[in-house]
Amino acid sequence: EPEVTQTPSHQVTQMGQEVILRCVPISNHLYFYWYRQILGQKVEFLVSFYNNEISEKSEIFDDQFSVERPDGSNFTLKIRSTKLEDSAMYFCASISDRTGGNSPLHFGNGTRLTVT
Amino acid sequence: DAKTTQPPSMDCAEGRAANLPCNHSTISGNEYVYWYRQIHSQGPQYIIHGLKNNETNEMASLIITEDRKSSTLILPHATLRDTAVYYCVYGQNFVFGPGTRLSVLP
């Protein structure tokens, strides 16, 4: 069964450094998402992306964050200058079509980001 | 943002049915309700979804009330591996609430 893949599984970075988290969504999917989960807390929506532009973003997704689909397969989340509070699991997800609402969102297994 | 209400935790004996409720009173008429679970810090795993009718698949059953303001996920014969946090979700951004931590006890 096709799946969403994320790399790396664990990333350690120093405060102030830039980090790029990578995702390969399921190949025929059209909508892409990033979520984060701080340890012990709920899964939080960050951003959705469709047709090479951001569809919606949450308050968490400030100017330090950006997303890109640099080619036909990858979807990336960049954090420009990491802070300690950016330490979290980051999940990528994709969906084939959300116009009818009858498609589930498929998640990757996440990247654990540790900012020291 | 879509808002759901679930009990924070539940216990279930192994082999028994686990019934997990969710209130989603602000769901609109054309929005599906989805159920996911998360084991440890893995990515949320899709379980089942529905609009109006009850649904069943190999993992679970979903009962949706006629007014669509609530639903119940049923795991018919819970196993230890079903211990997880269960989320009901709706809306195009799939906004997650705190979920229900289900503990299946031997």
Side-chain angles (χ1 to χ4, degrees):
Chain A
E1 183 176 324
E3 57 183 27
V4 176
T5 57
Q6 292 186 242
T7 55
S9 57
H10 190 188
Q11 173 100 39
V12 181
T13 189
Q14 288 190 326
M15 193 168 52
Q17 295 295 305
E18 175 184 285
V19 65
I20 297 175
L21 309 182
R22 302 181 190 280
C23 168
V24 178
I26 295 174
S27 63
N28 64 342
H29 284 189
L30 302 176
Y31 294 83
F32 314 113
Y33 295 72
W34 283 101
Y35 291 79
R36 81 171 185 191
Q37 187 175 33
I38 295 170
L39 184 64
Q41 299 186 23
K42 65 180 183 180
V43 177
E44 299 175 289
F45 167 75
L46 291 178
V47 65
S48 61
F49 189 88
Y50 170 71
N51 201 24
N52 282 321
E53 60 183 31
I54 290 174
S55 301
E56 293 185 57
K57 60 183 181 179
S58 71
E59 292 177 352
I60 303 167
F61 194 88
D62 61 21
D63 292 343
Q64 291 297 314
F65 292 90
S66 61
V67 289
E68 190 179 28
R69 188 155 164 81
D71 52 43
S73 59
N74 290 284
F75 179 52
T76 62
L77 174 69
K78 181 193 293 187
I79 308 174
R80 249 177 282 282
S81 177
T82 50
K83 304 187 283 286
L84 294 176
E85 53 265 37
D86 293 326
S87 294
M89 285 290 291
Y90 287 82
F91 295 108
C92 174
S94 68
I95 188 172
S96 57
D97 180 10
R98 67 182 194 185
T99 53
N102 190 18
S103 299
L105 194 59
H106 295 264
F107 285 81
N109 270 328
T111 293
R112 179 177 299 282
L113 177 65
T114 301
V115 182
T116 62
Chain B
D1 277 352
K3 181 166 175 58
T4 58
T5 305
Q6 299 177 252
S9 65
M10 293 180 67
D11 291 340
C12 177
E14 189 178 16
R16 304 297 294 268
N19 296 282
L20 296 139
C22 176
N23 286 326
H24 35 78
S25 57
T26 57
I27 197 169
S28 64
N30 61 349
E31 287 180 321
Y32 285 74
V33 59
Y34 293 82
W35 282 82
Y36 287 82
R37 72 181 183 184
Q38 189 177 28
I39 298 172
H40 299 301
S41 294
Q42 295 176 20
Q45 177 190 20
Y46 165 74
I47 301 171
I48 199 167
H49 72 285
L51 182 63
K52 297 179 184 176
N53 299 323
N54 299 337
E55 303 286 346
T56 295
N57 64 19
E58 65 278 4
M59 289 182 70
S61 295
L62 176 61
I63 308 295
I64 303 173
T65 58
E66 194 170 336
D67 63 8
R68 300 203 340 109
K69 291 179 188 270
S70 65
S71 60
T72 299
L73 178 75
I74 301 172
L75 308 177
H77 305 287
T79 71
L80 298 179
R81 287 183 298 178
D82 292 322
T83 292
V85 180
Y86 288 77
Y87 303 94
C88 65
V89 180
Y90 69 94
Q92 68 179 14
N93 289 334
F94 293 80
V95 175
F96 284 67
T100 296
R101 181 172 298 278
L102 176 68
S103 298
V104 180
L105 307 175

